[in-house]
Each structure stands twice: as C-alpha cells, then as structure tokens.
Amino acid sequence: MRVATALGTGPESLLPFETEAAEEGQEALADLTPPELSAHLSFFCTEGEEGLMYLRTERSGGDLLADEGCTLIANWEEGQGQVEFAVVQVGELLAGPHPS
C-alpha cells in the first residue's frame, strides 16, 4: 500500500495534495494523525474529478491476475480512465514456494 499511495518512509515524504475525499473516504480518514497524512490520502479517495477514485476490488478489466492465483486488494482509477493503481496479493504461482 505504501508504494501505491506514494507514502515513502515518513512524514517528510507526504505530498501536499489539496483534494477533498469523497464522503466515504472522509469518514475513513477522519481520525488519522498527523493531519498531513489525511490530506495526502484524500487524493486517493475522491470522486475522480481531482485525484483518484477508490474502487475497492472492482475493476473494469476484470479480476487482475486471478488466473495466476492472485487477489485484488484495492484499486484506484483516475477520473478519465487513463491511470489505474492496484494492490494485488501475489499468489503462490507467482511468489514461488515459501522457505521452510
């Protein structure tokens, strides 16, 4: 999630986005501290006019990498449909065997 939302390593890496989250996103972000973190993440919870629309696990292109045993965790799309970010839990086929 850190990569998908460009969080970096700490407060110094937060981007100064000035977008307002959709109502659902505002509720989810209301208790975050510092306030800069809430402002940063608001960009990823808009209605799509500014920032990105949070689509949960819905994708217009279908379930991403499902045939390879992967699970779509979260999906965002830019309002014009030209940019998409997805967080996918990689399946065993792609991850390979776990060390024992």
Side-chain angles (χ1 to χ4, degrees):
M1 295 293 277
R2 180 175 278 177
V3 172
T5 57
L7 279 177
T9 57
E12 70 283 351
S13 64
L14 296 175
L15 303 175
F17 294 127
E18 294 183 9
T19 58
E20 188 170 315
E23 187 174 329
E24 178 182 310
Q26 288 177 11
E27 293 172 13
L29 300 172
D31 296 328
L32 288 179
T33 56
E36 295 83 6
L37 178 58
S38 180
H40 177 96
L41 293 175
S42 289
F43 180 80
F44 303 93
C45 300
T46 70
E47 294 291 346
E49 295 170 7
E50 273 187 273
L52 300 172
M53 296 180 291
Y54 174 53
L55 302 174
R56 296 172 197 77
T57 58
E58 300 169 20
R59 274 193 87 242
S60 58
D63 205 3
L64 188 65
L65 299 172
D67 293 343
E68 286 77 20
C70 301
T71 304
L72 181 61
I73 303 297
N75 185 47
W76 294 267
E77 199 172 83
E78 178 259 344
Q80 297 164 352
Q82 296 180 2
V83 176
E84 181 179 343
F85 295 95
V87 176
V88 178
Q89 182 175 356
V90 179
E92 180 107 4
L93 180 63
L94 295 178
H98 297 287
S100 39

